[in-house]
Amino acid sequence: MKKINFIVLLLAIFQYTTAQEAEMSDKFILGGSVNFSTTNNSSPAGLGLVLTPTNESKSTFFGFAPYIGKEINPRLILGLGVDIGVGRSTSEISSFFPSPGSGELKRNSYQIGFGVFSRHIVNPDNQLSFYLQPNINYFISNEKEFQNSNRAGEVQTNFLQLGAGLGLMYNISDQLRATLRSGGLSYVNGNWEDKKSDAANDFSSFGFNLNLSNIFFGLEIRL
């Protein structure tokens, strides 16, 4: 029921914004945004291990999201995009099962997504504009876990994400814009599989998320 209501909300926003402006545009946009975050002293969570975190842990994430779009009118842009993410974390850990000991835990993750979006601009005549950006994306991700250089687990995840983010556009010139995009409402539905144990399960979530890992800075060119 939540999934249906969320889709209806996105469609309603799309139709309302489109109806506000009849003026057509023949401009295409080509853009991309990046995200980078790093965290020190995070708590690790192992695959099948009972772990005690220490003060020696670090995680980094880099994201890149190129896209192409078409300006339908001054208030609406429709587009296609790719979302690529790479993450790595390292932790010094102590384990009690299956045997006492300590060592290093590493996780390497990779994610790629493909999707469509619509951008609904609130005040297009201003140099600084606000916008709402509903989107639908399909993601494939993989995470490998290593303990003392030995592979301890690998998880493959596939999921569909319906979302609506917030953003800012700053018109540097008629052809060049700077952008900021953040996360927001998100519904996720997918499945994961543990390659080592063959365990698998479906999952879904719905929530609101605003943090550094969901803030992207970018540039776009109007062609």
Side-chain angles (χ1 to χ4, degrees):
M1 181 61 69
K2 286 183 177 180
K3 181 177 180 181
I4 295 175
N5 290 339
F6 191 62
I7 294 173
V8 171
L9 175 62
L10 293 183
L11 291 175
I13 294 172
F14 176 86
Q15 292 175 352
Y16 173 79
T17 309
T18 304
Q20 301 306 301
E21 183 64 61
E23 181 183 348
M24 302 301 291
S25 172
D26 61 354
K27 294 289 186 178
F28 284 88
I29 62 169
L30 181 64
S33 56
V34 296
N35 165 271
F36 177 78
S37 64
T38 180
T39 304
N40 290 314
N41 301 330
S42 60
S43 297
L47 296 173
L49 299 173
V50 179
L51 304 176
T52 300
T54 72
N55 291 328
E56 300 297 328
S57 64
K58 182 178 181 179
S59 62
T60 58
F61 175 83
F62 174 77
F64 176 54
Y67 56 88
I68 186 170
K70 175 70 167 64
E71 290 185 354
I72 305 303
N73 58 55
R75 293 183 179 272
L76 176 63
I77 296 173
L78 301 180
L80 305 171
V82 179
D83 201 324
I84 301 169
V86 179
R88 173 172 293 184
S89 67
T90 59
S91 303
E92 295 295 326
I93 53 98
S94 298
S95 62
F96 297 95
F97 180 82
S99 61
S102 62
E104 184 180 60
L105 180 71
K106 291 184 178 181
R107 288 194 187 90
N108 298 327
S109 61
Y110 175 79
Q111 176 175 287
I112 184 167
F114 307 89
V116 297
F117 68 87
S118 61
R119 182 185 299 174
H120 306 269
I121 305 164
V122 176
N123 50 342
D125 296 329
N126 293 358
Q127 188 171 18
L128 179 64
S129 302
F130 299 87
Y131 66 84
L132 175 69
Q133 186 160 305
N135 56 84
I136 303 175
N137 293 284
Y138 182 79
F139 286 93
I140 300 171
S141 70
N142 180 273
E143 181 180 87
K144 294 182 176 69
E145 184 176 274
F146 300 87
Q147 187 176 10
N148 297 328
S149 300
N150 298 314
R151 184 178 294 186
E154 179 181 356
V155 175
Q156 179 82 30
T157 307
N158 302 282
F159 61 93
L160 180 70
Q161 181 184 57
L162 308 178
L166 303 174
L168 297 173
M169 296 191 313
Y170 182 80
N171 293 305
I172 300 173
S173 68
D174 289 340
Q175 288 76 38
L176 184 64
R177 284 194 286 232
T179 63
L180 181 149
R181 175 172 58 87
S182 70
L185 287 173
S186 178
Y187 174 81
V188 175
N189 189 290
N191 61 82
W192 60 265
E193 179 185 2
D194 189 325
K195 297 295 186 179
K196 184 176 182 180
S197 66
D198 291 329
N201 205 351
D202 298 331
F203 66 90
S204 64
S205 66
F206 179 81
F208 183 81
N209 191 7
L210 283 175
N211 56 51
L212 288 178
S213 64
N214 284 324
I215 296 179
F216 284 75
F217 298 91
L219 291 172
E220 62 185 35
I221 301 172
R222 301 175 73 229
L223 304 176

